Amino acid sequence: MRIVVDLTRCQGYAQCVFLAPEVFRLHGEEGLLYAPAVPDEQLERVRQAAAACPVQAVLLGEEVNPGDR
Amino acid sequence: MTGDPGDGRIVVVGASLAGLRAAEALREEGFTGSLTVVGDEPYPPYDRPPLSKQVLLGEAAADSTGLPMRRNPEAEWRLGVRATGLDPLRKRVTLADGESLPYDRLLIATGTRARPWRNPEEAALDGVFTLRTRDDGAALAERLAAGPQRVLVIGGGFTGSEIASACRERGLEVTVTERGPAPLVGALGGTLSKLAAAMQRNHGVDLRCGVTVTALRGDGGGRFVGADLSDGSRVEADVCVAALGAIRNVEWLADSGLAAGPRGISCDAGCRAFDMYGIVTDDVFVAGDVSRFPHPLFGYQMLSLEHWGNAVAQAAVAAHNMVSPGPLRRPHLAVPTFWSTQFGLNIKSVGVPTYSDHVVIAQGSLEARRLAMVYGYQGRVTAAVTVDMAKSLPYYQHLIETAAPFPPGSGAADRPLAAEIPIPSDVPDPKGLSHGPTVALTGYLPDRRLTVVHPTG
Ligand SMILES: Cc1cc2nc3c(=O)[nH]c(=O)nc-3n(C[C@H](O)[C@H](O)[C@H](O)COP(=O)(O)OP(=O)(O)OC[C@H]3O[C@@H](n4cnc5c(N)ncnc54)[C@H](O)[C@@H]3O)c2cc1C
Ligand code: SF4
């Protein structure tokens, strides 16, 4: 699974950092960096982080598999 | 072809952020016909912003930034093949492999590519890079991980500054050259560019402004070893990144009759492409970095944006309009927004900072390295930039959308504004910069004031 954070919307509330610190981290005061490829054992935490983000900036999903349609 | 806009054949050219988001939105909007997405890169759509951040820091692999789908667009993906031409009369896209794809409606989302170093022989030296694609990111990250002696970054725009930031965070020596007076000056104007310059120097960047690189030097064996500067000095380095801005991918449209040029493909507020006579088409749409569109909040000037958020917003509007009859179509009126993380600072912008004559610091201060700067043009608010104050941004966005008077009232400020004298925004002519602007005003500038009406639905 992959994530992308809409950083134009993100306001640095850092709920995601709190819930899934292995995947999200703050760079300085409020710049957010994250690991785009989510390891399986982090999936549940990332789901919670996505749900908790106050501006719904975290999108979790499969990447495109050009083979299937 | 049926008359039902929810059916038929749609081709999307460009399989990146705008192409993917448009494909998803087409299905969301109920499109049931055949959907083909053509992309010349061999990879499924991936995200570029991490390439100059997490990837260069060594925190994420370049091949790990594949974009998650919001939903499966059930498209046929034609990846690794370039579109080479468009025949708008016969409604066909020709591909490099000789095939020709028929369409009823077409979306062009071919984005931009990195502007290469101007001398091809020098650009081919081992150790000279640009940064736009996943392959670029992988190659540069590998080189940085190997611990070079010094990295030379040509161009102090957002990408160049982020690369320099990543190098310093990795403990690498880095020199940045910028033809203009300071980094980021083309995007943010004089005052904030001084902060950007101070940040770079505080973090140990060897920043050289007001100079150009005149030549890249090889060691005779084809390896980059340094560069000559216009002030007569020389930089010894083993890695060079040309961060000179972007070139719109429009060459494949040269014979199409569309209004496609170096600034992008002109389209109307509904994302419909113009032809070269300025007549709007009704079956060719444009979205993302390759587009050039009029914005009522900025004097109807044509905007060319290299912003992630614009690609997402415009793709949604284009998709909606591709499957909606005329009166149900929507305008693309999103206010431009942009972010950049560098040297531990979170810089965000809303509106068009270059569309300004004065600025005022409405919150925070330069000394605190935490502030909100508001930009005004002829007495109204046109942009705001925050440094580590992202939570204030929606407020300023509201001021821009309502064409609020500039300087803004005290509601926007955490101290009395009477003491704060607006100063010239000091936005230079982009011609004097090393890198292209990530926001360009490319049109006629009529003196009109306008209020924006939000689309419903
Ligand atoms: C290193 C880097 C850092 C960035 N950081 C930020 C940031 O911090 N904040 C921000 O707001 N934005 C940032 N951006 C900009 C953001 O990534 C772009 O705005 C976004 O990618 C635009 O998406 P797009 O789909 O319009 O175009 P692109 O992503 O350029 O995609 C266009 C696609 O079309 C393909 N293509 C081109 N011609 C053809 C053809 N003839 N046939 C078939 N396919 C073709 C291209 O190869 C490409 O895959 C950054 C960009 C880069 C490169
Ligand atoms: S929770 Fe949401 S707003 Fe907060 S830092 Fe994470 S992504 Fe950004």
Side-chain angles (χ1 to χ4, degrees):
Chain A
M1 294 286 265
R2 295 284 191 266
I3 46 170
V4 67
V5 178
D6 181 343
L7 288 164
T8 58
R9 228 193 283 171
C10 163
Q11 296 187 2
Y13 285 104
Q15 266 87 336
C16 55
V17 180
F18 178 70
L19 288 165
E22 311 255 304
V23 175
F24 302 91
R25 78 166 177 105
L26 281 186
H27 190 244
E29 296 284 311
E30 61 169 38
L32 183 72
L33 293 181
Y34 57 93
V38 182
D40 283 347
E41 73 276 6
Q42 290 291 325
L43 259 182
E44 202 35 53
R45 285 170 172 274
V46 169
R47 278 206 185 92
Q48 287 171 9
C53 172
V55 290
Q56 297 290 292
V58 182
L59 174 68
L60 173 72
E62 300 283 354
E63 69 179 319
V64 169
N65 177 356
D68 66 39
R69 47 165 302 171
Chain B
M1 174 188 154
T2 66
D4 175 6
D7 201 5
R9 286 165 304 197
I10 289 183
V11 172
V12 176
V13 184
S16 180
L17 182 61
L20 171 62
R21 291 292 179 251
E24 296 163 347
L26 284 167
R27 294 303 186 196
E28 260 159 30
E29 298 270 353
F31 178 67
T32 53
S34 88
L35 178 57
T36 306
V37 186
V38 181
D40 63 356
E41 294 186 80
Y43 312 115
Y46 61 86
D47 205 31
R48 295 179 204 276
L51 295 178
S52 54
K53 306 174 182 79
Q54 295 97 308
V55 170
L56 294 190
L57 287 170
E59 293 180 11
D63 63 3
S64 73
T65 78
L67 280 164
M69 292 182 280
R70 290 193 298 136
R71 57 170 289 150
N72 190 330
E74 284 155 51
E76 185 186 337
W77 295 90
R78 301 291 306 270
L79 301 179
V81 53
R82 177 183 298 263
T84 51
L86 167 63
D87 181 343
L89 196 58
R90 289 171 54 237
K91 295 171 82 111
R92 279 173 179 273
V93 173
T94 45
L95 304 184
D97 63 9
E99 206 187 325
S100 127
L101 293 177
Y103 66 84
D104 297 315
R105 271 144 297 154
L106 172 70
L107 177 67
I108 300 173
T110 46
T112 64
R113 62 182 182 276
R115 180 178 300 282
W117 176 246
R118 59 175 183 269
N119 177 322
E121 251 168 60
E122 295 173 11
L125 289 170
D126 180 32
V128 178
F129 297 85
T130 54
L131 183 57
R132 178 80 199 171
T133 68
R134 171 172 151 175
D135 292 344
D136 296 340
L140 182 57
E142 192 186 312
R143 210 46 93 86
L144 297 187
Q149 295 295 313
R150 179 171 292 276
V151 179
L152 169 65
V153 178
I154 310 175
F158 280 108
T159 305
S161 298
E162 288 184 3
I163 294 166
S165 170
C167 289
R168 288 308 299 142
E169 206 165 326
R170 298 190 73 140
L172 300 173
E173 296 299 328
V174 55
T175 298
V176 173
T177 64
E178 168 54 50
R179 189 172 154 195
L184 308 185
V185 63
L188 305 180
T191 307
L192 280 180
S193 76
K194 289 188 190 108
L195 174 65
M199 287 310 291
Q200 294 211 359
R201 293 202 167 108
N202 287 346
H203 281 82
V205 174
D206 168 32
L207 175 65
R208 318 267 190 106
C209 296
V211 295
T212 55
V213 171
T214 51
L216 303 184
R217 297 277 173 225
D219 66 355
R223 275 183 34 204
F224 170 75
V225 291
D228 299 338
L229 306 190
S230 55
D231 62 2
S233 63
R234 177 159 183 182
V235 177
E236 314 235 314
D238 33 9
V239 173
C240 169
V241 192
L244 302 168
I247 300 180
R248 263 96 197 142
N249 291 317
V250 294
E251 294 77 1
W252 68 284
L253 297 165
D255 300 324
S256 67
L258 291 181
R263 293 290 198 194
I265 305 158
S266 302
C267 62
D268 71 359
C271 311
R272 297 180 300 176
F274 284 111
D275 74 10
M276 62 190 196
Y277 301 115
I279 300 173
V280 76
T281 59
D282 208 32
D283 48 9
V284 181
F285 293 74
V286 195
D289 280 11
V290 77
S291 75
R292 180 171 179 256
F293 62 96
H295 203 303
L297 274 176
F298 308 101
Y300 281 104
Q301 286 219 59
M302 300 294 276
L303 296 184
S304 299
L305 303 178
E306 295 165 32
H307 293 180
W308 193 95
N310 182 64
V312 171
Q314 203 176 13
V317 174
H320 172 86
N321 292 347
M322 288 174 85
V323 294
S324 304
L328 298 182
R329 285 177 174 165
R330 293 203 309 241
H332 172 52
L333 296 179
V335 181
T337 47
F338 181 83
W339 85 92
S340 169
T341 32
Q342 45 177 287
F343 302 105
L345 294 182
N346 188 33
I347 303 173
K348 296 187 86 166
S349 115
V350 60
V352 179
T354 50
Y355 189 76
S356 64
D357 46 28
H358 284 81
V359 294
V360 69
I361 294 178
Q363 288 175 272
S365 70
L366 288 169
E367 301 72 49
R369 304 202 179 326
R370 194 165 175 272
L371 61 98
M373 178 164 281
V374 179
Y375 295 67
Y377 182 68
Q378 297 195 344
R380 70 178 179 85
V381 176
T382 51
V385 173
T386 60
V387 177
D388 280 355
M389 267 200 181
K391 290 181 188 67
S392 305
L393 214 62
Y395 174 75
Y396 295 110
Q397 176 162 349
H398 175 74
L399 294 186
I400 298 165
E401 285 172 344
T402 52
F406 178 91
S410 56
D414 56 8
R415 59 197 152 116
L417 255 177
E420 197 63 70
I421 320 276
I423 54 171
S425 65
D426 195 12
V427 175
D429 184 338
K431 284 195 205 77
L433 304 175
S434 292
H435 55 91
T438 50
V439 184
L441 295 160
T442 62
Y444 168 60
L445 208 163
D447 274 326
R448 273 185 67 182
R449 283 178 194 215
L450 237 263
T451 15
V452 109
V453 184
H454 270 289
T456 47

